Amino acid sequence: MAYGQTGTGKTYTVGQLGKEDPSERGIMVRALEHILSSMSLETDSMAVSYLQLYLESVQDLLAPEKTNIPIVEDSKTGEVSLPGAAIVEIKDLEHVFQLLQIGETNRHAANTKMNTESSRSHAILIIHLQRSLKIKEENTVSIPSDAEHTLPGDLPLVLKSKLLIVDLAGSERIDKSGSEGHMIEEAKFINLSLSSLGKCINALAENSSHIPTRDSKLTRMLRDSFGGTARTSLVVTIGPSARHYSETSSTVLFGKRAMKIVNTIRLKEEVDYETLYKKVEDEVDHLTSEMERQQKLRQREKMQLEKRLKESEAFLHDLKMTSTMQIENLEKEKHQFEYAIKRLMQELEEKEGQNNVLSEKIVHLETSLNEKKQQQLESFSTTQILSETTKAHEKKVGELLRQLEEEKSRSASMKGHFNVLEQQLSDAQSSAQFQENTARELKRDLSKVTEIFTNQVHSLEGRISQLMSEKELMYKELKSAQANVQDEARRRQSLEAEVVRLKRSKTDNCAEEIRIWIR
């Protein structure tokens, strides 16, 4: 804040632009330039409002159509705000020059005997700074089932700060400045607000329990700075002329009193409930989509398992039918082979009986032959006949023996084939038993998967219901806070209207007294 007599260089010190020569830049430009060089585009933001207090009316220098802007004070935090004032976000230093140039163009100034461009209003540049503290990164793929991320340690915090740069209009005596007409009204309001500022500084320096900040709109706008929680710098300007000794002495005394004020800086942190609300809402949406995806996945897996079970059941049924048919065929073949074996055994027994008969005949014939050989040695022709008969009988006996061997080999081969068929029948029965065991295992796995899926769905539904209840509770708290703020705003507006009415009556009385004193 710059304080001093008119014409002593307050506006030059505070509001000089210095676009051509950086060394000529004032405090406003230098402060904004320093903040821009220290900001991080990811977490920091800066916006400005440029106002003037003219004839006890707050006007917007960036939007001149906005006049008589109300001043709102928060009873809990003591923070002062001006709803309706234009707040412009700063992009770069060139943007700063443009805004300050617009503000200086719209500011009231006049030519007096003490200053060719005397400021007729108090100019206040309000710089709003905000920094979002980084919170823990969270995995966007796997959402935890508990609520760890909503603990106080992970709440999204916002650091807010406000820098006020005030270029006060200079105090003046009407006989020295030569003010006439409307300029007298301007000087009256300037001196009135500066007088209220001096009273506040005196009360703060003396540690008074009451600080008269409501005596003027200037002190009301600076109330949160007067509360002792902000770092304050005061620039006091004086003139070198001995003609203005009394004004210089008063200005130095003002600065001396201000130096006695002790401020305690306070860190201001706020929970960013809007970001937290969006975060919880995003998590609810993510959990809902994740639950739907899990349900679709489980449904797809269930359908696949049911399809596999149906295929296994169909395969098992086909296998049973095939095994039954094979068993029936094998049984039929077995009965046929048994019947064939019995028939062959009967034939074999018949052949053996015939062979025994033939053997007996052969023995009998051999005996007869020997007898005939002994009896008919004399007849050569008879001998030849006997020899031929013997050979024929021997040939017939050999054929009968060969047939007997063939029947024996056929019987052995039939027995081996019967053994192979019995082995195939036992393998088919073991395969059918294995298929039945596989079907039972598939049914048991399906029941387990269905139970796990049901438990997971219940868990996700419980989590979503919990988050939705937290969301509704937070929404109700926000609504309640907004309603309280609106009630406080209406109550303050009514009080301000009453104060304005009282001040106007007091101002009229003061004006009448000043006119009487001037006369």
Side-chain angles (χ1 to χ4, degrees), residues 222-241:
L222 302 178
R223 174 175 178 148
D224 48 0
S225 299
F226 286 160
T229 60
R231 176 177 288 137
T232 305
S233 298
L234 179 65
V235 177
V236 175
T237 60
I238 58 175
S241 175

mmCIF file of all heavy atoms in Angstrom, residues 222-241:
data_model
loop_
_atom_site.group_PDB
_atom_site.id
_atom_site.type_symbol
_atom_site.label_atom_id
_atom_site.label_comp_id
_atom_site.label_asym_id
_atom_site.label_seq_id
_atom_site.Cartn_x
_atom_site.Cartn_y
_atom_site.Cartn_z
ATOM 1 N N LEU A 222 -10.017 -3.778 3.005
ATOM 2 C CA LEU A 222 -8.709 -4.204 3.505
ATOM 3 C C LEU A 222 -8.817 -4.913 4.848
ATOM 4 O O LEU A 222 -7.796 -5.110 5.515
ATOM 5 C CB LEU A 222 -7.786 -2.990 3.637
ATOM 6 C CG LEU A 222 -7.543 -2.178 2.362
ATOM 7 C CD1 LEU A 222 -6.657 -0.988 2.665
ATOM 8 C CD2 LEU A 222 -6.922 -3.043 1.280
ATOM 9 N N ARG A 223 -10.021 -5.306 5.251
ATOM 10 C CA ARG A 223 -10.224 -5.857 6.587
ATOM 11 C C ARG A 223 -9.413 -7.129 6.821
ATOM 12 O O ARG A 223 -8.810 -7.316 7.884
ATOM 13 C CB ARG A 223 -11.705 -6.154 6.797
ATOM 14 C CG ARG A 223 -11.967 -6.863 8.114
ATOM 15 C CD ARG A 223 -13.436 -7.055 8.367
ATOM 16 N NE ARG A 223 -13.615 -7.774 9.622
ATOM 17 C CZ ARG A 223 -14.615 -7.625 10.438
ATOM 18 N NH1 ARG A 223 -15.550 -6.739 10.155
ATOM 19 N NH2 ARG A 223 -14.714 -8.321 11.543
ATOM 20 N N ASP A 224 -9.400 -8.064 5.829
ATOM 21 C CA ASP A 224 -8.665 -9.312 6.062
ATOM 22 C C ASP A 224 -7.162 -9.078 6.137
ATOM 23 O O ASP A 224 -6.425 -9.906 6.676
ATOM 24 C CB ASP A 224 -9.003 -10.341 4.969
ATOM 25 C CG ASP A 224 -8.915 -9.750 3.580
ATOM 26 O OD1 ASP A 224 -8.591 -8.555 3.472
ATOM 27 O OD2 ASP A 224 -9.177 -10.480 2.608
ATOM 28 N N SER A 225 -6.674 -7.945 5.586
ATOM 29 C CA SER A 225 -5.259 -7.601 5.758
ATOM 30 C C SER A 225 -5.014 -6.957 7.122
ATOM 31 O O SER A 225 -3.957 -7.145 7.729
ATOM 32 C CB SER A 225 -4.807 -6.650 4.648
ATOM 33 O OG SER A 225 -4.940 -7.256 3.389
ATOM 34 N N PHE A 226 -5.997 -6.195 7.615
ATOM 35 C CA PHE A 226 -5.858 -5.574 8.932
ATOM 36 C C PHE A 226 -5.971 -6.586 10.059
ATOM 37 O O PHE A 226 -5.616 -6.291 11.191
ATOM 38 C CB PHE A 226 -6.956 -4.508 9.119
ATOM 39 C CG PHE A 226 -6.718 -3.264 8.327
ATOM 40 C CD1 PHE A 226 -7.750 -2.389 8.052
ATOM 41 C CD2 PHE A 226 -5.455 -2.972 7.851
ATOM 42 C CE1 PHE A 226 -7.530 -1.240 7.324
ATOM 43 C CE2 PHE A 226 -5.219 -1.828 7.121
ATOM 44 C CZ PHE A 226 -6.265 -0.961 6.849
ATOM 45 N N GLY A 227 -6.496 -7.786 9.771
ATOM 46 C CA GLY A 227 -6.723 -8.748 10.842
ATOM 47 C C GLY A 227 -5.462 -9.313 11.451
ATOM 48 O O GLY A 227 -5.529 -10.102 12.394
ATOM 49 N N GLY A 228 -4.301 -8.975 10.910
ATOM 50 C CA GLY A 228 -3.049 -9.445 11.503
ATOM 51 C C GLY A 228 -2.604 -10.798 11.002
ATOM 52 O O GLY A 228 -1.731 -11.420 11.605
ATOM 53 N N THR A 229 -3.206 -11.306 9.892
ATOM 54 C CA THR A 229 -2.820 -12.625 9.381
ATOM 55 C C THR A 229 -2.142 -12.533 8.025
ATOM 56 O O THR A 229 -1.954 -13.545 7.356
ATOM 57 C CB THR A 229 -4.063 -13.521 9.249
ATOM 58 O OG1 THR A 229 -4.992 -12.897 8.343
ATOM 59 C CG2 THR A 229 -4.729 -13.735 10.591
ATOM 60 N N ALA A 230 -1.797 -11.329 7.575
ATOM 61 C CA ALA A 230 -1.177 -11.153 6.261
ATOM 62 C C ALA A 230 0.137 -10.391 6.414
ATOM 63 O O ALA A 230 0.333 -9.616 7.351
ATOM 64 C CB ALA A 230 -2.117 -10.402 5.320
ATOM 65 N N ARG A 231 1.030 -10.631 5.464
ATOM 66 C CA ARG A 231 2.279 -9.851 5.420
ATOM 67 C C ARG A 231 1.968 -8.536 4.709
ATOM 68 O O ARG A 231 1.425 -8.536 3.603
ATOM 69 C CB ARG A 231 3.353 -10.633 4.667
ATOM 70 C CG ARG A 231 4.650 -9.845 4.495
ATOM 71 C CD ARG A 231 5.705 -10.678 3.805
ATOM 72 N NE ARG A 231 6.195 -11.713 4.706
ATOM 73 C CZ ARG A 231 6.413 -12.971 4.355
ATOM 74 N NH1 ARG A 231 6.141 -13.359 3.135
ATOM 75 N NH2 ARG A 231 6.874 -13.843 5.223
ATOM 76 N N THR A 232 2.305 -7.418 5.341
ATOM 77 C CA THR A 232 1.942 -6.096 4.832
ATOM 78 C C THR A 232 3.194 -5.250 4.629
ATOM 79 O O THR A 232 4.077 -5.226 5.493
ATOM 80 C CB THR A 232 0.987 -5.378 5.814
ATOM 81 O OG1 THR A 232 -0.141 -6.210 6.051
ATOM 82 C CG2 THR A 232 0.519 -4.049 5.247
ATOM 83 N N SER A 233 3.235 -4.602 3.462
ATOM 84 C CA SER A 233 4.325 -3.649 3.169
ATOM 85 C C SER A 233 3.700 -2.284 2.890
ATOM 86 O O SER A 233 2.731 -2.188 2.127
ATOM 87 C CB SER A 233 5.129 -4.107 1.944
ATOM 88 O OG SER A 233 5.736 -5.358 2.195
ATOM 89 N N LEU A 234 4.263 -1.257 3.501
ATOM 90 C CA LEU A 234 3.724 0.099 3.381
ATOM 91 C C LEU A 234 4.792 1.010 2.769
ATOM 92 O O LEU A 234 5.923 1.064 3.250
ATOM 93 C CB LEU A 234 3.299 0.634 4.757
ATOM 94 C CG LEU A 234 2.745 2.060 4.794
ATOM 95 C CD1 LEU A 234 1.447 2.146 4.025
ATOM 96 C CD2 LEU A 234 2.546 2.514 6.236
ATOM 97 N N VAL A 235 4.399 1.692 1.663
ATOM 98 C CA VAL A 235 5.282 2.679 1.021
ATOM 99 C C VAL A 235 4.751 4.062 1.393
ATOM 100 O O VAL A 235 3.605 4.408 1.073
ATOM 101 C CB VAL A 235 5.298 2.498 -0.515
ATOM 102 C CG1 VAL A 235 6.162 3.579 -1.153
ATOM 103 C CG2 VAL A 235 5.805 1.110 -0.877
ATOM 104 N N VAL A 236 5.574 4.842 2.089
ATOM 105 C CA VAL A 236 5.189 6.190 2.516
ATOM 106 C C VAL A 236 5.934 7.196 1.643
ATOM 107 O O VAL A 236 7.162 7.137 1.523
ATOM 108 C CB VAL A 236 5.530 6.409 4.006
ATOM 109 C CG1 VAL A 236 5.249 7.850 4.393
ATOM 110 C CG2 VAL A 236 4.720 5.455 4.871
ATOM 111 N N THR A 237 5.194 8.082 1.007
ATOM 112 C CA THR A 237 5.809 9.081 0.110
ATOM 113 C C THR A 237 5.583 10.474 0.705
ATOM 114 O O THR A 237 4.500 10.781 1.217
ATOM 115 C CB THR A 237 5.183 9.003 -1.296
ATOM 116 O OG1 THR A 237 3.779 9.266 -1.197
ATOM 117 C CG2 THR A 237 5.384 7.620 -1.905
ATOM 118 N N ILE A 238 6.643 11.306 0.610
ATOM 119 C CA ILE A 238 6.558 12.686 1.136
ATOM 120 C C ILE A 238 7.167 13.624 0.100
ATOM 121 O O ILE A 238 7.935 13.212 -0.787
ATOM 122 C CB ILE A 238 7.286 12.820 2.485
ATOM 123 C CG1 ILE A 238 8.761 12.404 2.327
ATOM 124 C CG2 ILE A 238 6.609 11.984 3.556
ATOM 125 C CD1 ILE A 238 9.583 12.631 3.589
ATOM 126 N N GLY A 239 6.814 14.905 0.220
ATOM 127 C CA GLY A 239 7.368 15.932 -0.658
ATOM 128 C C GLY A 239 8.505 16.683 0.009
ATOM 129 O O GLY A 239 8.530 16.821 1.236
ATOM 130 N N PRO A 240 9.445 17.195 -0.782
ATOM 131 C CA PRO A 240 10.623 17.860 -0.185
ATOM 132 C C PRO A 240 10.372 19.321 0.223
ATOM 133 O O PRO A 240 11.216 19.936 0.874
ATOM 134 C CB PRO A 240 11.648 17.789 -1.322
ATOM 135 C CG PRO A 240 10.817 17.817 -2.563
ATOM 136 C CD PRO A 240 9.550 17.084 -2.252
ATOM 137 N N SER A 241 9.199 19.873 -0.141
ATOM 138 C CA SER A 241 8.978 21.295 0.099
ATOM 139 C C SER A 241 8.625 21.562 1.564
ATOM 140 O O SER A 241 7.840 20.825 2.168
ATOM 141 C CB SER A 241 7.865 21.804 -0.817
ATOM 142 O OG SER A 241 7.558 23.145 -0.506
#
